[in-house]
Amino acid sequence: MMQSDMFGAVAGEVPDPRNPAERARWLRTELNRHNYAYHVLDNPTIPDAEYDKLFVELQQLEADNPDLIVPDSPTQRVGALAATAFPPVTHAVPMLSLGNGFDDEDIVNFDRRVREGLNTEEEVEYATELKFDGLAINLRYENGILTGAATRGDGFTGENVTANIRTIRAIPLRLHTDNPPAVIDIRGEVMMYKADLVKLNAKQREAGAKEFANPRNAAAGSLRQLDSRITAQRTLRFFAYGIGALEGVKMPPSHSSLLDWYRELGMPVCEERAVVKGAQGLLDFYRGIGDKRKSLPYEIDGVVYKINDATQQQQLGFVSRAPRFALAHKFPAEEALTAVQDIEVQVGRTGAITPVARLTPVSVGGVTVTNATLHNEDEVRRKDIRIGDTVIVRRAGDVIPEVLSYVPERRPADAREFVMPTACPVCGSPIVRPEDEAVARCSGGWVKCAAQRKGGLLHFVSRRAMDIEGFGDQLIEQLVDKHIIKTAADLYKIGFRALAELDRMADKSAQNVMTALEKSKSTTLARFIYALGIRHVGEATAKELARHFGNLDAVLAASEEQLLEVADIGPVVAGSIRSFLDDPMNIELIEQLRAAGVHWPEHIVEREAKPFAGKTFVLTGTLPNMTRDEAAEKIEAAGGKVAGSVSKKTSYVVAGAEAGSKLAKAEELGVPVLDEAGLLQLLDSE
């Protein structure tokens, strides 16, 4: 019996030229084979002219026989104009961020925490790899076919960039296996090599277009093109390094075996990786990569460590938005010398006064830096930064540049000390600084201070708050500067004509904004609370408030003591919330927003009726009729808490098919185990 290779081809097979379907299948197989050799193995097997000849033949065959076009055909990578912007995609498994380490002590402590969590004195085996400076992407394959691709976004919801991802030749449209998983989410990084950026910028110059500052910006800009034909013209690369959802096959037993499997599937995997033991092994890998960093064809900003054993990964679990079993070891931030031309202050949305150094333009890590934060008055004094100083400016990734220190031997005789103003530079209101705080603030508030008004409005319309599309910095500035709006409630009073008459607006843009405003009226209580911009209340706190109280009236009436009953809320946050709600102007704003039609589902929380109050559940395995998210929603609706790892404090473990180490841990600790039917029965009986 003749054996087929990973691309489905049979050795010595010659297609019947009279059969278009057979010829098309053979051409697809050959082109996919050559794509893999060129873009993944970096080992071309035929000249470009021969490849182009086969490609043109397949294009013609498909044009003459449209029924022969299949989703994984190489001809489907050329791109097309998108009908709309990128719609949101909810990740089946969140794309979590990593904790960071910066020095040897951080790595030693990470290894110690891992061993303590695993209850072992033996050296732990780690998989080590590179931390690429690109764009994180989730690729979804269903039965081996690429069906979707999304950016990381906020870790829970990203943007659908499938059309653009399909143009990247290094990413297979079909996995190279006869037995693909039913579903697999392959995670990795889209990037542009340094040499490819040089070529792209040369083309940009020729076309009179803006050049890209660094490979990451070029990759992100290319991947966010609404016309994927533009993306197809740019050389983007991809390396796989992680996994999300997986159905139909067992998870590989280790991270290194997962990456080996990816290679077998035809997925590009970086070879700059290793399996090491203990903290010393991690540090040796870090230093080895640091030595060769400059010679690598792509940009990296560190390395990543992961416990290699998949069972041990599950045992350690997660904390907040990061896994306990992994760490990013960052390289030292890039630095440069420049001069401080002046020190001014900026006013934030909460009135915070931040000193900002205006710098002689300097390139730091491929980005031109003209401003850098000095954080607060105490930091300026501590670092003794003066106007006229030569300073060291540091930039790490996308973090706002900061002034690290000044160079004493270059300080001019006429260097001037910074003096914090006593009045807000925007509205003239007094600047005050509470005794127990490091930050000085404008006392004008939204009503008097246009800077706070602009910042507050930008926060209100932001994607994680009211999510009103179309409102950028320039539009908000015009609306405030022309006195069209003073509060967030005024947004819902804007007329179509007033919008259309603004600079850079037209009837279509104005209508889009009006539509977005109307759509935003239907929201959630958590989003609404977060949008109000209450000091110290972030997304997580807003969600806890909504979950705990159930409706806005209960939040408005809550005392500080009642607020302290909410998970993760302490005296400072409770006091800040109560202070905000005690201001009549804020209550008036809330009532105006409600009157404008802003609404959300509300319910009265009966705490004594919550059957799972005080109980902690852990979910593991695949449930027969519910997803784990659906099960978690039912548990949380009943007052329970869902945790990621099993401990003596766990009340129940809900286990489905292919439950792993969490089930074993529950049995070891004597924690009650339920199946899906048992969970539903418990819900009904309580």
Side-chain angles (χ1 to χ4, degrees):
M1 180 178 177
M2 301 185 73
Q3 296 292 317
S4 61
D5 66 10
M6 63 194 289
F7 298 93
V10 177
E13 179 185 42
V14 179
D16 183 349
R18 297 166 300 178
N19 187 326
E22 188 175 323
R23 180 67 180 175
R25 181 178 61 81
W26 182 84
L27 285 168
R28 286 195 298 270
T29 298
E30 287 299 296
L31 289 167
N32 282 331
R33 185 202 313 279
H34 298 312
N35 262 332
Y36 179 75
Y38 185 95
H39 294 285
V40 178
L41 301 181
D42 198 23
N43 184 29
T45 50
I46 59 172
D48 288 351
E50 288 299 313
Y51 178 92
D52 292 342
K53 186 176 177 181
L54 295 174
F55 189 87
V56 169
E57 183 183 350
L58 179 58
Q59 276 186 315
Q60 189 60 53
L61 261 179
E62 292 179 343
D64 295 339
N65 304 273
D67 57 310
L68 296 180
I69 300 175
V70 294
D72 60 317
S73 172
T75 62
Q76 300 307 296
R77 293 186 182 273
V78 295
L81 184 63
T84 60
F86 309 109
V89 175
T90 300
H91 299 302
V93 176
M95 295 182 71
L96 302 179
S97 55
L98 295 177
N100 292 323
F102 298 95
D103 53 34
D104 290 7
E105 184 179 1
D106 291 338
I107 308 313
V108 171
N109 287 337
F110 166 68
D111 177 62
R112 173 184 54 76
R113 291 194 302 270
V114 165
R115 287 184 285 107
E116 288 175 354
L118 297 175
N119 195 25
T120 180
E121 293 296 326
E122 297 182 6
E123 285 190 323
V124 175
E125 185 176 83
Y126 295 98
T128 58
E129 54 198 19
L130 306 187
K131 186 177 184 300
F132 304 106
D133 195 13
L135 202 66
I137 292 292
N138 184 86
L139 306 177
R140 167 151 289 210
Y141 288 84
E142 297 178 1
N143 298 313
I145 302 295
L146 178 66
T147 59
T151 61
R152 179 183 180 275
D154 63 3
F156 298 89
T157 304
E159 293 180 312
N160 188 331
V161 290
T162 307
N164 290 346
I165 284 293
R166 292 173 67 86
T167 70
I168 301 176
R169 296 182 181 275
I171 295 175
L173 299 177
R174 178 192 291 270
L175 297 177
H176 302 169
T177 176
D178 293 331
N179 299 295
V183 173
I184 183 172
D185 285 344
I186 296 177
R187 281 149 185 196
E189 201 92 354
V190 168
M191 70 192 79
M192 183 173 286
Y193 279 19
K194 298 173 187 175
D196 294 326
L197 174 65
V198 172
K199 295 176 183 176
L200 174 59
N201 276 340
K203 292 181 180 178
Q204 294 291 99
R205 284 194 299 274
E206 290 174 10
K210 182 180 178 180
E211 295 183 43
F212 293 97
N214 53 53
R216 187 185 189 283
N217 287 357
S222 300
L223 204 58
R224 288 187 53 79
Q225 294 289 328
L226 289 178
D227 187 346
S228 59
R229 291 171 296 190
I230 297 175
T231 310
Q233 295 169 7
R234 298 177 179 175
T235 307
L236 296 177
R237 318 282 183 131
F238 177 81
F239 281 136
Y241 55 60
I243 190 166
L246 179 64
E247 299 176 12
V249 300
K250 287 186 176 181
M251 185 74 74
S254 66
H255 185 71
S256 57
S257 61
L258 171 69
L259 299 186
D260 291 341
W261 181 43
Y262 279 170
R263 289 231 43 155
E264 294 173 8
L265 296 177
M267 192 63 59
V269 175
C270 181
E271 290 307 308
E272 295 288 348
R273 56 189 175 101
V275 174
V276 304
K277 285 192 173 183
Q280 190 58 52
L282 298 177
L283 293 171
D284 289 345
F285 179 80
Y286 174 82
R287 289 169 184 140
I289 293 298
D291 290 341
K292 63 168 66 174
R293 180 185 181 189
K294 296 287 186 184
S295 64
L296 294 174
Y298 37 74
E299 294 283 2
I300 61 173
D301 55 7
V303 298
V304 174
Y305 309 137
K306 299 174 183 174
I307 294 177
N308 195 33
D309 186 274
T311 300
Q312 290 181 334
Q313 287 186 7
Q314 289 183 350
Q315 186 176 340
L316 277 191
F318 301 82
V319 55
S320 185
R321 291 194 172 196
R324 289 190 179 93
F325 56 79
L327 186 77
H329 191 174
K330 305 291 284 291
F331 288 126
E334 297 188 73
E335 300 171 353
L337 287 178
T338 188
V340 178
Q341 298 178 341
D342 200 358
I343 298 177
E344 300 174 356
V345 296
Q346 288 183 342
V347 187
R349 70 174 178 86
T350 62
I353 303 295
T354 303
V356 176
R358 305 302 183 192
L359 307 170
T360 301
V362 62
S363 178
V364 185
V367 174
T368 300
V369 173
T370 56
N371 304 311
T373 182
L374 291 165
H375 300 293
N376 55 58
E377 185 179 11
D378 289 349
E379 276 292 283
V380 180
R381 301 280 175 260
R382 185 181 69 81
K383 294 178 178 178
D384 191 22
I385 306 299
R386 303 182 187 183
I387 300 165
D389 273 344
T390 295
V391 295
I392 300 171
V393 179
R394 178 171 64 184
R395 176 183 168 274
D398 292 329
V399 177
I400 298 171
E402 68 170 335
V403 174
L404 194 61
S405 62
Y406 79 100
V407 182
E409 58 269 25
R410 295 195 184 186
R411 170 166 282 173
D414 60 350
R416 293 180 288 122
E417 290 190 14
F418 166 71
V419 178
M420 175 66 78
T422 57
C424 173
V426 176
C427 70
S429 297
I431 290 176
V432 296
R433 178 179 170 182
E435 290 184 8
D436 58 343
E437 293 190 18
V439 177
R441 298 181 187 276
C442 164
S443 60
W446 269 46
V447 175
K448 292 183 179 179
C449 187
Q452 292 185 59
R453 199 176 310 140
K454 291 172 184 177
L457 287 167
L458 282 169
H459 173 78
F460 184 85
V461 302
S462 64
R463 184 163 61 88
R464 297 181 185 181
M466 295 300 288
D467 192 20
I468 311 176
E469 294 184 5
F471 281 95
D473 293 8
Q474 292 182 344
L475 180 54
I476 290 292
E477 282 192 16
Q478 287 189 72
L479 291 170
V480 172
D481 291 343
K482 295 184 178 183
H483 307 290
I484 297 173
I485 58 175
K486 288 186 177 180
T487 72
D490 292 337
L491 291 168
Y492 296 99
K493 302 173 186 176
I494 302 174
F496 168 81
R497 187 46 50 198
L499 278 172
E501 290 175 354
L502 294 173
D503 296 341
R504 300 188 180 181
M505 291 290 284
D507 286 359
K508 184 177 180 181
S509 299
Q511 187 55 57
N512 288 341
V513 171
M514 296 296 292
T515 301
L517 280 165
E518 189 62 32
K519 180 183 176 183
S520 74
K521 289 180 180 180
S522 178
T523 185
T524 66
L525 178 56
R527 280 181 175 271
F528 182 79
I529 293 172
Y530 177 59
L532 292 175
I534 304 171
R535 195 171 166 212
H536 300 309
V537 176
E539 282 183 273
T541 302
K543 288 179 180 177
E544 286 297 335
L545 284 165
R547 185 190 66 80
H548 184 88
F549 290 105
N551 65 89
L552 183 58
D553 290 331
V555 176
L556 299 180
S559 64
E560 283 195 41
E561 290 72 20
Q562 290 171 319
L563 289 168
L564 286 170
E565 296 175 3
V566 180
D568 300 326
I569 287 185
V572 172
V573 179
S576 178
I577 295 169
R578 196 59 263 164
S579 176
F580 180 92
L581 298 177
D582 285 339
D583 187 331
M585 292 181 59
N586 293 329
I587 297 300
E588 176 63 21
L589 170 65
I590 291 170
E591 293 308 318
Q592 286 189 19
L593 288 167
R594 283 172 134 177
V598 178
H599 64 281
W600 50 84
E602 293 197 23
H603 62 278
I604 303 299
V605 178
E606 299 290 348
R607 283 180 182 76
E608 61 275 12
K610 291 283 189 178
F612 288 175
K615 295 179 180 178
T616 301
F617 291 73
V618 172
L619 302 169
T620 182
T622 304
L623 303 178
N625 301 305
M626 287 189 291
T627 66
R628 289 203 296 220
D629 285 344
E630 289 169 342
E633 287 177 7
K634 290 182 181 293
I635 291 168
E636 289 171 351
K641 179 181 178 181
V642 178
S645 57
V646 181
S647 71
K648 292 179 180 179
K649 296 181 180 179
T650 304
S651 306
Y652 297 96
V653 167
V654 181
E658 298 184 4
S661 60
K662 293 178 184 177
L663 176 58
K665 185 73 171 179
E667 292 170 344
E668 176 188 333
L669 296 176
V671 175
V673 177
L674 304 172
D675 57 12
E676 180 184 292
L679 172 63
L680 295 175
Q681 183 178 357
L682 188 63
L683 278 165
D684 291 338
S685 64
E686 291 283 350

